[in-house]
Amino acid sequence: MASLLSPESIQQIQRLDLRARMVVRGFLQGLHSSPFHGFSVQFSEHRRYNQGDDPKLIDWLVYAKTDKYYVKRYEAETNLTGYLAIDLSKSMGFTESQSMTKFEYATCLAASLTYLMTMQQDPVGLLTLGEKVHAELPARSRRGHLGDVMARLSQLKPEGNTNLAVSLTQVAAMLKHHSLVMLFTDLLDDPEATLSSLARLRHGGHDVIVFHVLDAAEVNFPYDGPVQFQDSETGETITVDATGFREDYLAQLDAFRENYRERCAKLRIDYVPLDTSMPFDKALTEYLMQRQKSK
């Protein structure tokens, strides 16, 4: 299934809603042979039977399929409001040789998570992060809202500068009720200011997931000899000896990711490092593992 859900395969599908549907269906099928067997049933409309539950609530059709006891979830148990928070910085439009830019990868993943949450009838809203935050769509679960989110995601473009810290601070002030904030970004901004704003979001009572999306070339640094690099947001260029610089670069990248991993863990924020060569089912499994750990 991994080959079918690779960015190269998904890129062949033009419509974002069809991409999301294929990713989610492949992901849920894959769960049947994974350590999360049965989660696909539980995720959408059931939960595992617990001692004290009324046996009359057991769904015997699900039992016949899974050999496990599940009950229908109460409406209150599905009341999770989610917000997609998409980084619109110009740097998100970068790719070296992958079929998807960081932004295309992020929006496809965001669309897939929207599809998953819609299966649970959870409200999903859309926020975009530039020099300030823009509330694109309110969180809704009504029929037709999935199409609205997909259409808006398809229209977004990574352009201009983003001030993550300012935008996230505005998000924290904007959200009045407990929500799940799913941030899609390359985190190419001041780490201290960004982490401070993430802490403000967390202290406001919100669950936060950071999907740190980098291009495969940014992770692997596949360059040799003299190479000229250009800052996509400032236009500044610099020439370096890539061969001699690789070891230092990779060490700094590891330190950068580890800093976010450790600091987010202390804040009880889920940090999910991704790159644009990663199949989408693996990306969603990483997300699922993080959510399981945090429960």
Side-chain angles (χ1 to χ4, degrees):
M1 186 60 64
S3 61
L4 293 177
L5 297 183
S6 69
E8 291 81 6
S9 297
I10 297 301
Q11 182 75 345
Q12 303 304 311
I13 304 171
Q14 296 298 313
R15 284 174 44 184
L16 184 60
D17 59 331
L18 297 182
R19 290 181 183 181
R21 187 180 304 172
M22 182 173 180
V23 168
V24 169
R25 286 182 176 177
F27 170 62
L28 294 181
Q29 287 174 13
L31 287 178
H32 287 291
S33 58
S34 79
F36 301 103
H37 175 69
F39 183 81
S40 57
V41 176
Q42 182 184 14
F43 188 95
S44 58
E45 56 183 2
H46 293 78
R47 64 170 171 80
R48 194 70 72 86
Y49 174 82
N50 295 316
Q51 186 173 1
D53 287 335
D54 188 341
K56 294 178 182 178
L57 298 177
I58 293 173
D59 189 323
W60 295 105
L61 288 176
V62 173
Y63 172 77
K65 293 179 181 179
T66 66
D67 289 328
K68 293 183 174 63
Y69 296 110
Y70 287 91
V71 298
K72 283 278 190 177
R73 300 199 307 170
Y74 294 105
E75 186 173 351
E77 292 178 298
T78 68
N79 190 23
L80 173 67
T81 299
Y83 284 93
L84 311 170
I86 313 289
D87 181 354
L88 292 185
S89 61
K90 195 171 181 180
S91 65
M92 288 290 287
F94 171 76
T95 184
E96 176 67 28
S97 59
Q98 296 300 306
S99 60
M100 286 186 175
T101 66
K102 290 184 283 186
F103 190 76
E104 289 170 330
Y105 189 96
T107 52
C108 187
L109 182 58
S112 302
L113 287 169
T114 301
Y115 195 94
L116 277 172
M117 292 190 70
T118 300
M119 287 172 60
Q120 298 184 108
Q121 300 181 336
D122 290 331
V124 183
L126 175 61
L127 308 170
T128 55
L129 312 181
E131 293 187 342
K132 61 181 181 178
V133 66
H134 292 275
E136 300 285 345
L137 290 170
R140 291 175 178 157
S141 57
R142 63 170 176 77
R143 182 175 297 185
H145 186 62
L146 175 63
D148 294 341
V149 175
M150 297 294 171
R152 190 68 191 107
L153 282 173
S154 299
Q155 295 165 358
L156 296 176
K157 296 185 184 302
E159 49 194 11
N161 300 320
T162 293
N163 190 320
L164 273 181
V166 169
S167 292
L168 291 171
T169 297
Q170 291 174 343
V171 171
M174 180 187 301
L175 301 181
K176 304 302 182 185
H177 304 289
H178 169 69
S179 302
L180 170 63
V181 179
M182 296 163 279
L183 174 62
F184 303 84
T185 177
D186 55 13
L187 289 174
L188 297 184
D189 213 331
D190 177 20
E192 290 304 317
T194 300
L195 283 160
S196 177
S197 294
L198 286 170
R200 188 173 285 108
L201 255 180
R202 190 72 187 94
H203 294 155
H206 305 293
D207 286 336
V208 183
I209 307 172
V210 178
F211 292 100
H212 186 194
V213 183
L214 293 176
D215 186 71
E218 292 175 318
V219 173
N220 301 315
F221 203 74
Y223 306 105
D224 289 299
V227 179
Q228 186 179 76
F229 295 101
Q230 182 179 44
D231 187 311
S232 60
E233 296 184 18
T234 66
E236 294 181 13
T237 61
I238 184 173
T239 300
V240 301
D241 173 14
T243 306
F245 184 60
R246 177 180 293 109
E247 187 174 340
D248 285 344
Y249 172 86
L250 293 175
Q252 289 183 42
L253 176 65
D254 286 344
F256 181 72
R257 282 175 146 184
E258 188 59 31
N259 179 49
Y260 266 102
R261 184 180 290 108
E262 290 180 358
R263 300 277 292 277
C264 284
K266 290 178 181 178
L267 293 168
R268 296 183 63 195
I269 289 173
D270 295 331
Y271 172 75
V272 184
L274 303 169
D275 74 69
T276 53
S277 68
M278 187 179 290
F280 283 99
D281 54 335
K282 184 176 180 183
L284 287 175
T285 300
E286 289 292 321
Y287 155 77
L288 174 57
M289 291 175 66
Q290 292 291 337
R291 296 305 292 163
Q292 293 288 85
K293 287 179 187 175
S294 65
K295 288 181 180 179

